[in-house]
Amino acid sequence: MTHRVPVVFIAALGEPGRTWQPVLDILEDLTTVTYDRPGIGRTPHRPAPNPPLPYSAFADELAAELDARGVTGAAVVAAHSIGSLIARVYADRHPHRVAGLVHVDGSIPQFHVVPGLESAQDGADGDPDATEIDVVSGEVEVLYAATPTVPTLVLTRTPGRWDGANPAPSGAEELWLASQRILARETGSPLIVAEHSGHRIPTEQPDLVAYAIRAVHTAATTGRPVRLAAEALAAVGAHLDKH
């Protein structure tokens, strides 16, 4: 019964499902589902006029994709970066399809850390046919989204290791960490802090992400609370936020 609950992965902005491969390799005993949003990987672009879309559109596309694959029951949803915002709206619109949630350094609800710094294009850099995110409408959806009462964990990057290559914009570290703490508080979740990773935790610390997913999956399939061990967290290079 345990392995019948699948794990559905939502990738970061413009990234294909295969970016989760380091995590998938560790979770080979579980049923896992990845997908590419339109215009990413081998999935065709959305047809013209292809206007900017809020997260509800991405969430409903995921539900339709899972229906097409025959995945109609509740699943543990693991989401990275902008995928976390899609997951929050997905859980609000399709609560019966969510058995647990793992937010991996989820983007902040307002999306932009510094206006003009980040592109809202969900596709390859410079792709003229990529879909833009309707950031304002999307933020409203996230703010109104109901918090599901399912096993949840929130992971965040190592403080000071912004994206692994570039320094954080002024004030961004504080804003990002505050957002992760608020999400953890709202979901009744511990906040797990990576010790060796920038934003790309699924590829920089896949053991940590896999550990968190397995903990939520176990809780979702047994009906017990999420159980974390300090020693196990240390072994995968993480600790609980002490805030």
Side-chain angles (χ1 to χ4, degrees):
M1 177 179 177
T2 299
H3 294 180
R4 293 179 183 174
V5 176
V7 182
V8 174
F9 293 83
I10 308 177
L13 188 73
E15 294 190 352
R18 67 174 181 272
T19 59
W20 290 99
Q21 195 59 52
V23 178
L24 300 176
D25 290 342
I26 303 170
L27 299 176
E28 290 183 333
D29 58 310
L30 299 184
T31 299
T32 56
V33 180
T34 63
Y35 74 108
D36 295 339
R37 293 186 292 274
I40 300 173
R42 297 183 178 180
T43 304
H45 290 87
R46 296 176 182 85
N50 193 15
L53 297 177
Y55 301 120
S56 56
F58 296 96
D60 292 348
E61 283 178 345
L62 171 56
E65 175 71 20
L66 294 176
D67 283 342
R69 299 191 191 190
V71 182
T72 57
V76 170
V77 178
H80 176 220
S81 193
I82 203 73
S84 170
L85 300 181
I86 297 172
R88 291 165 73 169
V89 176
Y90 179 80
D92 178 61
R93 294 172 69 85
H94 307 278
H96 62 289
R97 307 187 78 146
V98 179
L101 284 162
V102 180
H103 297 278
V104 184
D105 214 33
S107 297
I108 61 178
Q110 58 268 46
F111 180 83
H112 292 297
V113 175
V114 178
L117 178 66
E118 303 133 302
S119 168
Q121 183 185 65
D122 190 32
D125 290 341
D127 181 355
D129 297 318
T131 300
E132 292 281 332
I133 293 174
D134 184 338
V135 174
V136 174
S137 296
E139 180 180 357
V140 171
E141 291 177 342
V142 172
L143 293 176
Y144 275 121
T147 302
T149 54
V150 296
T152 303
L153 284 175
V154 179
L155 281 64
T156 192
R157 70 185 78 182
T158 307
R161 286 194 58 171
W162 192 243
D163 64 0
N166 303 300
S170 177
E173 288 280 7
E174 293 81 2
L175 175 60
W176 195 271
L177 182 56
S179 181
Q180 307 307 313
R181 286 172 170 165
I182 289 169
L183 178 58
R185 183 178 66 202
E186 289 179 346
T187 58
S189 163
L191 175 59
I192 299 174
V193 182
E195 295 176 347
H196 312 292
S197 178
H199 182 53
R200 297 181 179 276
I201 305 177
T203 53
E204 294 187 52
Q205 286 193 247
D207 287 344
L208 168 57
V209 177
Y211 173 79
I213 291 171
R214 195 176 295 280
V216 168
H217 188 272
T218 298
T221 54
T222 62
R224 299 171 183 168
V226 176
R227 295 180 177 176
L228 301 173
E231 298 83 1
L233 275 176
V236 292
H239 63 269
L240 294 179
D241 181 48
K242 298 178 175 60
H243 179 72

